[in-house]
Amino acid sequence: MKILWVFAHPERRSLGGSLMTEGLRTLESLGHEHRTSDLYGMGWKAVVDADDFGDAPRDRRLLVGPEQERAYRERSLSEDVRREQEKIEWADTLVFQFPLWWFGPPAILKGWFDRVLVQGFGFGLKGPDGRTLRYGDGGLAGKRALVVTSVGARESGFGPRGIHGQLDQVLFPLLHGTFWYTGMAALPPFVVYGADRLTDTGFAHSAAQLRERLRTLPTTSPLPFHDENGGAYDEDLVLRPELAPGLSGVGVHG
Amino acid sequence: MKILWVFAHPERRSLGGSLMTEGLRTLESLGHEHRTSDLYGMGWKAVVDADDFGDAPRDRRLLVGPEQERAYRERSLSEDVRREQEKIEWADTLVFQFPLWWFGPPAILKGWFDRVLVQGFGFGLKGPDGRTLRYGDGGLAGKRALVVTSVGARESGFGPRGIHGQLDQVLFPLLHGTFWYTGMAALPPFVVYGADRLTDTGFAHSAAQLRERLRTLPTTSPLPFHDENGGAYDEDLVLRPELAPGLSGVGVHG
């Protein structure tokens, strides 16, 4: 396999940093190839702005989506963005590792999605019949994506009725709205709970679990989201009544 | 009222920019005071790093939470962060306006939460009985927060069974995990749908709706999330079975 590991932690000497070391070593021992994007280490620019499109005229209104698509097609996106897109094209599996801040990825990683997965590359493609390729299809179809995250809280707080919200639903914008939207199969997230209070034994346990998750990376069943063009949704993009009957909310989609 | 309007759009000459102009004018006409944080205009730094804590030694491991709290207490957080905290203290209502990118706030706004709502200020406070003040209580208790956002998609796609996910659940990390977590009452989001294709008539309609939402800002009922310390959750922070009986997922919390 070819794995791109995107790491978004300001401190390489952290629990997260140690876990990444462990993870990359495991991938090597399994005979997989890997490349990394250490966003803090690279000094990654987090913010979409006109500098991403070097040749865009500054005197007219910036329309982000169309401008991203134009610059992508003309190969005039800034070089750091193009380099990440090239890594994504190379990879069959993407790992996103980050501490959960405000129940989502740190800004530097959010900015990686904002800047890299541009219209025309990550989404906005059309099939031969003119249908938009999205949710299970699209620019990144066929790839798999895994979240590796750490949280301070205990596991019960992220359970089905835990106060912080059921974790896979808290991560819905990422798992369904980003991975699946661009065509990538979203694997069940790997989570280290109680990360602020992890003992050496606890770390060893987490590292062993991560090794197992990486060993089974090609065979783990992804979250069972519905294909947009597979008949699950009606023409208003509403889930058909025979699926998850009587239920509503983000949980109905997989 | 005293309103802080945080604006996170790279283009002031956008639909969003025009809506903000309309919104601020409305607040003035209603006799409210306002201040603004135009994050792109300010060149806001999106990324938490050691530069936020100018006096932190660089040769030891950076622990973000404790370092943020220490620097907050010692008043050595970087000046841009302190200025935003001062604005928050001044305000009784916060408005966050942004285009929805990848089903969440643009990186520049995510970074505002990451950098400004630090431990000791936004959260991590304890009550007289030693309990953590969170979810309905905490550093920003008593304030109200409103999301004003624009999306390209039609409204049906964000409905209870829409493919993009029920909007208030997609925004759960922000509404519950950020606003409510720090004590702020989360108001129902104001959303402009189909923003990419909005006609002049459509804009006029949205502007009128926004004016009405701002007029009723002090009286609108917030989303009915549960207080952490109000008896709704057990000691594992799991919602008690008599509330939303038999249900699970983020929708059970309010």
Side-chain angles (χ1 to χ4, degrees), chain A residues 13-54:
Chain A
R13 296 163 294 183
S14 56
L15 163 71
S18 304
L19 267 187
M20 177 168 74
T21 302
E22 192 67 31
L24 296 179
R25 194 184 295 147
T26 303
L27 294 177
E28 284 161 21
S29 76
L30 291 165
H32 300 317
E33 292 177 74
H34 65 75
R35 295 171 73 178
T36 56
S37 292
D38 174 356
L39 300 186
Y40 274 94
M42 292 153 64
W44 177 256
K45 169 178 175 273
V47 168
V48 172
D49 58 26
D51 291 341
D52 287 4
F53 329 107

Side-chain angles (χ1 to χ4, degrees), chain A residues 184-207:
Chain A
M184 293 195 285
L187 300 175
F190 176 83
V191 190
V192 180
Y193 293 100
D196 298 344
R197 300 169 299 282
L198 208 65
T199 60
D200 287 351
T201 314
F203 178 79
H205 180 67
S206 291

